[in-house]
Amino acid sequence: MLILGDSHVGRMYPYRRWLGQHTTDVSVRWIWQGGAGINWAEQQVGRCAGFRLVVLMIGGNDLDAGWCSPYQLADRIGFLAHQILQEGAETVVIPSLWPRSNVNYNTRARQYAGIMERRFSFDPQVTFWLWDRRQAWRNVDGVHFLHHGYRQAIRYLIAFIVWVINHNLW
């Protein structure tokens, strides 16, 4: 399995041992770049070869910076997911974007989530995963969470990955 994304992936990385405790038969590789956006992720497609499951955690920086609309972001991430499948992945999981302190960003992130849910609700190889929004993960700098927020995030990630494995979606 490959977890590919922006700084949120890097901030979850210290808690990776928890993932191994619940998915002992799955090898996990983590690739991230702070401040990364969809352009960076598109350059990483070749690194996705050989992984059955790819978790693609990208897009928040693009949406926050205003480089694209929710529809444009959904188009590009959808295209990227299918490029990853062409590299040999069996399943691509795209989690929804995490909330930030910017209200305008959060509105656009919810629009993006609605687009992605509709677009991938029947795709057998690309799964859009809506994070549990009831969690109030406080932002440290308007973007990143406190440590307990990342601990909670990795728990959600573990639960979802175990669900994917148990349902033979990869």
Side-chain angles (χ1 to χ4, degrees):
M1 173 186 355
L2 172 64
I3 302 174
L4 177 71
D6 58 23
S7 60
H8 287 299
V9 173
R11 288 176 181 248
M12 282 195 305
Y13 182 75
Y15 306 105
R16 68 192 177 281
R17 70 182 186 287
W18 294 354
L19 185 59
Q21 292 170 354
H22 298 278
T23 56
T24 54
D25 59 337
V26 178
S27 174
V28 181
R29 179 151 183 227
W30 302 70
I31 301 175
W32 70 89
Q33 175 68 45
I38 189 74
N39 290 336
W40 173 84
E42 289 169 343
Q43 296 169 3
Q44 308 306 311
V45 169
R47 298 175 81 179
C48 298
F51 292 97
R52 291 177 60 195
L53 173 65
V54 176
V55 179
L56 185 58
M57 298 180 66
I58 201 79
N61 294 323
D62 298 286
L63 202 59
D64 196 21
W67 295 329
C68 55
S69 72
Y71 288 97
Q72 291 168 325
L73 183 62
D75 286 344
R76 289 191 65 192
I77 289 182
F79 183 73
L80 176 60
H82 285 95
Q83 285 181 309
I84 291 169
L85 292 171
Q86 289 177 351
E87 287 292 323
E90 293 177 23
T91 303
V92 176
V93 174
I94 306 167
S96 60
L97 302 176
W98 289 348
R100 297 185 178 189
S101 60
N102 180 330
V103 175
N104 188 32
Y105 164 85
N106 291 333
T107 300
R108 289 182 291 148
R110 283 190 298 276
Q111 291 171 342
Y112 164 79
I115 295 163
M116 295 297 279
E117 281 186 301
R118 288 187 299 276
R119 187 167 293 174
F120 293 109
S121 60
F122 299 105
D123 192 317
Q125 292 182 290
V126 180
T127 301
F128 180 73
W129 178 35
L130 190 62
W131 289 95
D132 185 349
R133 295 192 182 275
R134 292 171 294 171
Q135 294 298 321
W137 300 334
R138 292 186 308 182
N139 297 96
V140 175
D141 56 6
V143 175
H144 301 103
F145 304 126
L146 298 171
H147 292 289
H148 72 274
Y150 286 105
R151 286 194 301 266
Q152 186 65 40
I154 196 90
R155 286 185 188 117
Y156 280 123
L157 183 60
I158 291 167
F160 187 73
I161 290 169
V162 168
W163 182 85
V164 167
I165 292 169
N166 289 340
H167 287 83
N168 295 320
L169 297 177
W170 75 306

